[in-house]
Amino acid sequence: MSRKTDRLAAEDEDSPAVDYWDEEDDLEAFSDAELGCEDGGLGFSDSLNPEVKPRILLMGLRRSGKSSIQKVVFHKMSPSETLFLESTNKICREDVSSSSFVSFQIWDFPGQIDFFDPTFDYEMIFRGTGALIFVIDSQDDYVEAVSRLHLTVTRAYKVNTNINFEVFIHKVDGLSDDHKIQKQRDIHRRANDDLVDAGLQSINLSFYLTSIYDHSIFEAFSKVVQKLIPQLPTLENLLNIFISNSCIEKAFLFDVLSKIYIATDSSPVDMSTYELCCDMIDVVIDISCIYGWGSDSPSLPSPATPLTIHRYVG
Ligand SMILES: Nc1nc2c(ncn2[C@@H]2O[C@H](COP(=O)(O)OP(=O)(O)OP(=O)(O)O)[C@@H](O)[C@H]2O)c(=O)[nH]1
């Protein structure tokens, strides 16, 4: 899997806003040092490439959990390690391309950025965006977060009406089931009321209850990514045909490394089945590590691997 992380440096790190340039100026605007690529390669000039991957933006207030989500899903960081993550002060861009289906960029935004500072070229950012994930900390007072969500969504929608707006009501691990539902209802109502008041009821927000301490974050990310896969209906059809012609109860097409499922058949997803598959993937990866198979080894599962649950008939 090729993953390249760029840190798009602000001209002045202490500045609350990140300076952006028009796309024509991109090449001149960022020297290599300013880009600060962690493993080289991907430069800001990629936005000039017509085949550039869809962007997934991670936005939300400070400490809402954006970087933790990215680290846990795409870097296999354990949830407890995220306690030591420092606050992000630069836009962090990561290229995720593990298969022809899973291919996108994730942009993690610092919480303190003022997106609407005149020096911040939000039009350029939203223009190439496929999904905007807005993370709300459910363990904190979320009134400010909801108004920030409204501001972000309305600005983004003006630039690009095709963006999928995804709201992660995050850190729900500390909440009881009743409390979770209650918070989701309240946030949903407030966010939609704000849109109706602004005459923008046509904007569709999708809500997910997430936590890095269980599989909910992987499931939510799977659904976000699936919406960006044009071949999804075909894949779902193939999986439907597959299970109807075999003794298989449920089939997922997984991106093994991230545990995102790219597609599944049309029967409902049961969280425990999904968790079982994730655990099986972990076992395969652990065994691969123990036996030291290289990444090029034919013995390793290919990055996008179908995983199936068998129904044993007696
Ligand atoms: N309980 C719980 N804590 C979480 C969860 N996700 C993240 N956190 C914690 O939230 C804190 C902030 O996480 P970050 O990922 O740094 O938040 P951020 O939104 O990237 O913060 P900025 O970079 O300041 O914008 C860390 O201590 C994480 O361990 C979660 O699902 N549940």
Side-chain angles (χ1 to χ4, degrees):
M1 171 180 270
S2 101
R3 289 206 175 116
K4 301 167 183 174
T5 303
D6 290 353
R7 294 197 178 270
L8 303 182
E11 230 181 10
D12 175 2
E13 286 188 15
D14 296 322
S15 159
V18 170
D19 287 336
Y20 269 89
W21 286 260
D22 288 339
E23 288 183 20
E24 297 83 59
D25 299 334
D26 287 344
L27 283 170
E28 294 95 61
F30 290 91
S31 66
D32 282 351
E34 281 171 321
L35 284 166
C37 301
E38 278 178 4
D39 56 355
L42 191 73
F44 197 70
S45 55
D46 286 352
S47 61
L48 296 171
N49 182 347
E51 290 185 10
V52 75
K53 297 161 186 163
R55 282 177 205 153
I56 299 179
L57 309 186
L58 273 170
M59 292 182 165
L61 296 187
R62 280 186 102 127
R63 312 300 291 159
S64 53
K66 303 177 290 296
S67 307
S68 307
I69 292 172
Q70 193 191 4
K71 297 283 180 201
V72 168
V73 176
F74 296 103
H75 295 267
K76 300 293 126 223
M77 183 180 271
S78 77
S80 52
E81 279 178 84
T82 64
L83 291 167
F84 308 104
L85 281 177
E86 285 180 14
S87 208
T88 314
N89 58 8
K90 297 166 186 169
I91 296 174
C92 177
R93 186 173 62 166
E94 180 172 1
D95 196 28
V96 178
S97 23
S98 44
S99 72
S100 43
F101 299 122
V102 177
S103 184
F104 49 83
Q105 290 180 348
I106 298 184
W107 290 37
D108 178 12
F109 283 76
Q112 77 274 25
I113 274 191
D114 177 5
F115 302 110
F116 307 110
D117 184 293
T119 59
F120 181 70
D121 189 356
Y122 68 88
E123 288 204 6
M124 181 279 291
I125 290 175
F126 291 140
R127 223 180 292 135
T129 296
L132 191 161
I133 300 176
F134 196 92
V135 184
I136 296 179
D137 181 348
S138 66
Q139 295 186 10
D140 201 5
D141 179 14
Y142 49 77
V143 175
E144 191 195 339
V146 173
S147 68
R148 183 73 164 190
L149 164 71
H150 178 73
L151 197 62
T152 309
V153 165
T154 48
R155 285 290 175 119
Y157 187 76
K158 268 188 203 151
V159 176
N160 180 355
T161 53
N162 294 320
I163 297 178
N164 298 324
F165 295 105
E166 319 279 5
V167 184
F168 284 9
I169 302 170
H170 193 51
K171 306 191 189 179
V172 293
D173 44 277
L175 307 177
S176 67
D177 284 350
D178 285 351
H179 215 163
K180 280 182 201 171
I181 303 295
Q182 197 186 323
K183 290 225 176 188
Q184 179 169 6
R185 274 206 199 118
D186 191 38
I187 292 173
H188 192 281
R189 186 184 52 77
R190 284 168 188 263
N192 280 334
D193 286 355
D194 286 349
L195 289 176
V196 170
D197 291 347
L200 290 168
Q201 53 274 28
S202 54
I203 299 181
N204 182 43
L205 305 177
S206 304
F207 293 85
Y208 308 82
L209 292 165
T210 57
S211 165
I212 54 168
Y213 288 94
D214 57 32
H215 290 88
S216 56
I217 193 62
F218 296 94
E219 226 227 325
F221 231 105
S222 300
K223 290 186 175 157
V224 171
V225 169
Q226 282 166 27
K227 291 186 194 168
L228 302 178
I229 299 177
Q231 304 91 339
L232 183 66
T234 311
L235 293 172
E236 284 175 349
N237 265 341
L238 288 172
L239 291 172
N240 280 336
I241 295 167
F242 178 56
I243 61 161
S244 63
N245 289 294
S246 54
C247 273
I248 284 167
E249 215 166 81
K250 182 81 191 149
F252 293 99
L253 182 64
F254 267 96
D255 171 51
V256 169
L257 295 181
S258 63
K259 290 189 283 191
I260 282 174
Y261 67 92
I262 299 160
T264 183
D265 63 89
S266 52
S267 66
V269 174
D270 169 30
M271 257 316 250
S272 58
T273 310
Y274 174 62
E275 286 172 16
L276 179 65
C277 291
C278 290
D279 292 345
M280 286 161 71
I281 289 173
D282 283 339
V283 171
V284 171
I285 291 175
D286 287 350
I287 292 178
S288 317
C289 294
I290 292 169
Y291 288 98
W293 287 323
S295 56
D296 299 331
S297 164
S299 314
L300 271 175
S302 61
T305 294
L307 231 139
T308 54
I309 300 293
H310 292 264
R311 182 179 54 223
Y312 293 103
V313 272

